[in-house]
Amino acid sequence: MPRPPARLILILATVLLGVAVLGLGLLRAATYEEPDPAPIAGQEAVPAAGAPGRCGTVPVRATRELRGMWLTTVMNIDWPSRPGLPKEQVQAEYLRWLDLAVAQHHNAIFVHVRPSGDAFWPSAYAPWSEWLTGKRDGRSPGWDPMEFMVAEAHARNLEFHAWFNPYRGSQPAPAGPGADFAKLAPNHPLLKHRDWAISYPDGKTARLYFDPGNPAARRFVEDAMLEAVGKYDVDGVHFDDFFYPYPEGGGNEFRDGASFAKRADKSLGRADWRRQNVDTLVREMSERIRELKPWVKFGISPFGIWRNKATDPAGSDSNGLESYDAIYADTRRWVRERWLDYIVPQLYWAIGFDKADYAKVLPWWSALVKGTGVQLYIGQGDYRVGEKGPWKQPDQIERQLALNDRYGVQGSVHFSAKQIREDRLGAVTRYRTKHYATPALVPTMRRLPLRPPEAPRATAARRTDGKVAVEWQARGGTEPVSWALYRVDGAAANLVATGRAGKQDAVDPAPPAGAATYCLSGLDRSGNESAISDPVSVSP
């Protein structure tokens, strides 16, 4: 999970580098380029639909960019506001988060549905989450939150990415049961399979983990996550950076010695074996998701440094904790092997930070994904706005998003929902005005199924309650999943709204007072767009 400041290993810097130094850093970073890997058989699909065409005599114009936020349930960081609330309040709070996403012109939400070996759905593999029910007894709350969450997100044309922590089995005491088996829910799987459990670290902060080196435990964890994929119409499966735990120091060890001795290839050291275990989870989940539901995306949000250049010439121009060595996450390999559809490195550092300069680490990731088909989104650290040093500047994330555009980044996910709502220093308002002022379509992915519908037929436009509603009908055998509404504005027709196809009228929420001309397109669930409808107009 994206972490609060105390969890970051890097030392925070408080001084921005000068503009000249920043420019030099960008110049150096821009020269770095990874060789493109050879194509992998079976992973190339038909190219995504091209530009949809013109609205009358002018071209249509729309941004293709994923925009999302993490909605965190562990410790009730974002939602629900506290455990044990009645269904009606939990649902009302969730709908307000979706309303926020829509107001910010987001098109995706990443919801924490398996924070610690638990579940926000009726699961045969995990107890109900205490962050929802307020109890650790495994009893049902009497309704299905996942069914509700997915349906309401889709009603607002938001992608729903189900966010899982694969190996965490409990929360540390006193917030959770810690490493005390007696305090787990009665139906917790680690009670039945204690040989799957490893406690780390020592003391009051201990929690239980499923052993990543135990194939039975790994398969069980995969099955638990795939249960949700099979039952619900999710658009994505999402992990953050918790595989093996972050090192705590103080002599603490992740005690997997017995598992290593029993299962490891004798040619492997402990570190390589652990990386192999994580690689296996990532590869198997990729394969199994594609087999179960090929249209579901798979992505991971890792710590922002693979390795430092001082350690490995292929690493980034940074000097911080290395996920390859510290938590056994070979993020570079996952991209190069194309096990992922997207990757969201957590770049929670300021431009100019000496240990990990955003402006230097970003180009490394941009170069890494080149030629792989893996889409690069960035995890943005909204929670840091207002901290001392460069984070006191309200334009820090605004400037980072500008760098993202320069390096071809295809989207951002913001941590977390609460910080977006709070809008510290007006930072969210600033970057929304500059970067998210209009809606955006999600990027298409070549691997996903391609079924763009025929151009819809726009039949009429009418003014109502200060809005313009465009009536339309689908044509042909492939029904659109969603629609995109374009309004002519001078030399182009710009995207002004999107929506789910179940609501037949396409609505422009902020039309001009004068006459206006509109066109419409339909999209499949992978974001591939149809041709454009004929224009319809509305009078002043």
Side-chain angles (χ1 to χ4, degrees), residues 28-41:
R28 287 202 309 269
T31 63
Y32 177 86
E33 184 170 317
E34 285 280 358
D36 292 343
I40 297 176

Side-chain angles (χ1 to χ4, degrees), residues 386-424:
E387 293 180 9
K388 63 182 180 179
W391 290 103
K392 281 289 186 184
Q393 300 175 359
D395 66 344
Q396 178 63 222
I397 293 182
E398 178 187 338
R399 293 165 58 206
Q400 293 180 2
L401 293 178
L403 283 177
N404 291 358
D405 293 341
R406 174 177 174 176
Y407 284 98
V409 174
Q410 292 182 269
S412 290
V413 187
H414 296 264
F415 185 71
S416 66
K418 182 178 292 185
Q419 279 70 39
I420 295 173
R421 183 177 64 190
E422 291 179 357
D423 193 13
R424 297 174 190 161

Side-chain angles (χ1 to χ4, degrees), residues 488-506:
V488 174
D489 181 17
N494 295 310
L495 180 69
V496 293
T498 69
R500 214 68 173 176
K503 298 181 178 179
Q504 286 299 303
D505 286 353

Side-chain angles (χ1 to χ4, degrees), residues 265-279:
D265 185 320
K266 301 308 178 186
S267 67
L268 295 178
R270 183 85 66 96
D272 287 334
W273 174 71
R274 287 175 173 175
R275 274 186 290 272
Q276 183 184 77
N277 294 331
V278 178
D279 286 350

Side-chain angles (χ1 to χ4, degrees), residues 25-145:
L26 285 171
L27 180 62
R28 287 202 309 269
T31 63
Y32 177 86
E33 184 170 317
E34 285 280 358
D36 292 343
I40 297 176
Q43 290 198 8
E44 293 296 339
V46 179
R54 305 175 76 84
C55 179
T57 61
V58 301
V60 298
R61 186 167 56 191
T63 299
R64 285 276 185 177
E65 176 181 56
L66 183 128
R67 301 171 185 166
M69 63 184 180
W70 279 292
L71 189 66
T72 317
T73 58
V74 67
M75 306 291 291
N76 299 109
I77 289 175
D78 294 316
W79 173 81
S81 58
R82 63 179 187 273
L85 294 175
K87 167 186 171 181
E88 293 74 19
Q89 186 171 346
V90 173
Q91 291 184 343
E93 289 182 1
Y94 178 74
L95 295 182
R96 285 195 291 271
W97 289 121
L98 296 186
D99 291 343
L100 176 66
V102 171
Q104 295 298 322
H105 287 149
H106 287 187
N107 49 31
I109 189 165
F110 295 72
V111 184
H112 214 184
V113 298
R114 178 189 167 89
S116 300
D118 48 2
F120 272 69
W121 72 94
S123 174
Y125 297 86
W128 281 97
S129 177
E130 65 181 282
W131 310 118
L132 173 69
T133 67
K135 299 177 181 179
R136 205 172 293 147
D137 56 12
R139 295 183 190 175
S140 169
W143 62 292
D144 188 339

Side-chain angles (χ1 to χ4, degrees), residues 55 109 171 206 337 524:
C55 179
I109 189 165
Q171 279 300 113
E337 296 285 355
D524 65 16

